[in-house]
Amino acid sequence: MNKEFVKRAAMLMLMLLPTLAFSQADPDDPQPQDFTQWNAMATNIALVCWAVGLLVALGYYVKLSTTKGSKEKYDFINKFEINSLWVAVIILIIGGCFFANSAITSLTPVMIGVRLFVTAAMGLIVAVIIQNLLKFYYPFYIEKRLKVLRYQPRISPKTGKAMKLLSEEEEDAYLDEGMQAEENVFSVDYDVWKDEETGYIQIEKYAGHLHALQCPECNYQTFKVVKEEIVKQPSETETGEIIKHYQCGYCGYKAKKSVILKQQTKVEQSTATA
Ligand SMILES: [Zn+2]
């Protein structure tokens, strides 16, 4: 349904924009005024905005492509991609608003109000549509790339050969108790890569609460851990239990998941890194 709405709104925009652009001349205007100065200024502001917007987006991609290492790239995309694109889009839209008002031939006080209103409304509609795309559709694309980056074989600095990603069971031997507790409690995932020739170990940390899952209700990539409560602390002899509360940022769907905590001796360590 949302998809349909976005499509329709986009179509409407495409139809309305040219109409607006060409409906400026009013032949009944009694006193012709000179708008060349304003038009030139509006054009220049539009061009500057577009240049800055493109530079923001370009700057992001240049920074990304010069970032070395799969894990570093992963973190960079996770942290900055959507926000950078969003900032670029806002600047581009502001440019568009000026451009739409850069060919004025006549203007009455009423028309000024109408123009301001229509320009702001159109700008907002475009912004909302793009924001929706970035928030709900774009994450699928990001997710695919993040997965590739996360599971791309790491190269051992010792031998230059590909290392092996250890399984959940195998990796426990290399994670200290604090890390293991953290894996349980804070939706943190550690990946352990091992160079089987030399025994060299590389540990990477992935923060689960920064990273959304696919919502079982609406299927958007907007399902996140919002709260975690420890029901029972694990002791040296007994396992513990934690309840993870998930909520969808799009449809609001909520779910609880109970996770058994392994027997642990030093759970307190885990609280240090949230
Ligand atoms: Zn949902």
Side-chain angles (χ1 to χ4, degrees), residues 214-220 222-223 247-253:
Q214 189 162 17
C215 171
E217 192 68 21
C218 67
N219 290 324
Y220 286 117
T222 41
F223 204 49
Q247 189 172 358
C248 174
Y250 180 64
C251 71
Y253 177 74

Side-chain angles (χ1 to χ4, degrees), residues 45-256:
I45 294 177
L47 291 177
V48 168
C49 284
W50 288 342
V52 172
L54 288 178
L55 275 179
V56 169
L58 198 73
Y60 168 80
Y61 286 109
V62 167
K63 189 89 210 304
L64 176 63
S65 65
T66 52
T67 301
K68 288 213 171 70
S70 302
K71 167 65 174 152
E72 287 74 15
K73 275 196 162 81
Y74 182 103
D75 288 341
F76 190 75
I77 292 176
N78 213 10
K79 250 194 197 155
F80 299 116
E81 182 149 322
I82 289 185
N83 286 341
S84 307
L85 291 180
W86 179 229
V87 169
V89 162
I90 290 177
I91 301 174
L92 289 175
I93 290 176
I94 293 174
C97 288
F98 274 98
F99 187 74
N101 292 291
S102 66
I104 293 173
T105 50
S106 67
L107 210 56
T108 58
V110 178
M111 270 309 286
I112 294 179
V114 171
R115 270 190 173 276
L116 272 175
F117 177 76
V118 172
T119 305
M122 284 296 160
L124 270 177
I125 290 176
V126 178
V128 166
I129 291 173
I130 298 182
Q131 191 193 33
N132 268 275
L133 292 174
L134 280 177
K135 226 169 155 182
F136 303 120
Y137 293 95
Y138 199 73
F140 286 107
Y141 168 65
I142 287 197
E143 198 52 31
K144 259 192 221 161
R145 287 157 56 216
L146 290 183
K147 241 180 211 151
V148 170
L149 285 172
R150 179 164 174 181
Y151 298 110
Q152 205 165 49
R154 306 296 192 252
I155 302 301
S156 165
K158 306 265 177 197
T159 59
K161 284 183 195 158
M163 297 198 278
K164 184 193 163 206
L165 177 63
L166 300 185
S167 69
E168 290 286 325
E169 292 77 36
E170 291 172 306
E171 71 182 21
D172 282 354
Y174 300 96
L175 299 178
D176 61 40
E177 278 158 347
M179 286 170 161
Q180 286 186 37
E182 210 183 0
E183 256 200 332
N184 281 325
V185 179
F186 290 108
S187 306
V188 166
D189 238 350
Y190 282 100
D191 282 359
V192 179
W193 293 85
K194 185 180 185 186
D195 180 353
E196 294 196 296
E197 261 180 63
T198 62
Y200 172 80
I201 289 291
Q202 186 174 315
I203 298 175
E204 293 174 357
K205 180 178 179 177
Y206 292 89
H209 59 276
L210 296 175
H211 184 239
L213 306 169
Q214 189 162 17
C215 171
E217 192 68 21
C218 67
N219 290 324
Y220 286 117
Q221 200 81 30
T222 41
F223 204 49
K224 266 188 191 176
V225 173
V226 286
K227 203 174 96 192
E228 290 167 311
E229 48 180 334
I230 298 173
V231 184
K232 198 173 144 232
Q233 285 280 3
S235 66
E236 276 178 63
T237 49
E238 281 180 78
T239 55
E241 192 191 359
I242 185 167
I243 295 190
K244 296 186 178 188
H245 295 262
Y246 291 83
Q247 189 172 358
C248 174
Y250 180 64
C251 71
Y253 177 74
K254 287 179 189 172
K256 279 190 265 183

